[in-house]
Amino acid sequence: MSALLGNPMVTTAALPLVLGMVMALLARFALPQSSPVLSLVAAALLLFFYWDTLGPPVVPPVAASQKLIYLAFAGIVAGLLPERLLSAAVAGKLVAGALAAALLWLGWRRLAGGSLDLQMIAALIAGLLAIVGVAMLLSLKASPSPPVEEPFLAPAAMLAMCLAGAIISVLGASIVAGQLLGSLAALAGGWCLVQYIAVLRGGAATGWSKGTGLMLVFAAATVLIQVALLAPKANPVALMLSPLPLAVAALVPGPLQGLVPGARPLRPLVAGLLIASPAILAILTALLFAPHGAALGFS
């Protein structure tokens, strides 16, 4: 059993996928959507992935990877605020400000160094796009009669962004951050799988609460920002494409609504494909232009 749990593929993909499915089943059958328990479950899973990948918190944190778990704690605290305090406008502005602070904290040494090379420009653009995308996504207001794809928007955006970020990170010689993003992608994938099966069976999908979505999307965005700032061989174009699923997800209920078909089972799939399209381009770009040996940090 210990050998199985020590396998990176299990801890990075299989186990988080199963845990995402368990979390979705709890939301469907055991916990009401408004229950804070679901947010506590999400917070516990988030900290488990960080602890398993990065180790226990270091006091004081020096390396950027050591700062990530503290940023996760900050996101969890914000996500556990009472729902009445996390209105659409407040949540978007709160997380945008927190991500801006995270960008400065993670990259202050590079920023203070004053070297504005192509990699740094790409990192700043990727960070700004992540901040704007998260603010747009969390500023969405719940519809009185939500379409079937609405509960999938935040999980699908997180899934697409994290999957792209994981591949870009590994190819950019930042394997640990890639493992963490892979775990978050699998967690969102397990949630989406259970909810989509419920839709196929004629039911309604359960969405993340505002607090749960806030802490998970914030954590994913901070890890992506770290990759953009510090992965030494990450492709600049792929980096700038990777946070765009957040903004696309926010546009699905509005300008992109006409692209979603009327057939109920197809709506989440097509919406998910629209959300994933920038991530697919990011992955293809990273694969096509990956430097030789980058996946292992060589050359």
Side-chain angles (χ1 to χ4, degrees), residues 21-34:
M21 295 171 67
V22 171
M23 181 178 160
L25 291 171
L26 286 174
R28 292 200 63 80
F29 300 111
L31 300 172
Q33 187 177 5
S34 59

Side-chain angles (χ1 to χ4, degrees), residues 54-129:
L54 303 174
V58 176
V59 182
V62 178
S65 60
Q66 296 169 351
K67 298 175 182 178
L68 288 176
I69 194 166
Y70 289 94
L71 292 172
F73 275 118
I76 288 169
V77 170
L80 293 177
L81 292 173
E83 285 286 315
R84 64 180 180 275
L85 299 179
L86 294 177
S87 64
V90 172
K93 293 175 182 177
L94 174 66
V95 177
L99 281 176
L103 175 62
L104 293 174
W105 192 36
L106 290 170
W108 73 268
R109 288 187 179 180
R110 291 200 64 189
L111 292 169
S115 59
L116 201 62
D117 55 8
L118 178 61
Q119 196 76 14
M120 190 61 186
I121 293 171
L124 291 175
I125 292 174
L128 291 174
L129 288 174

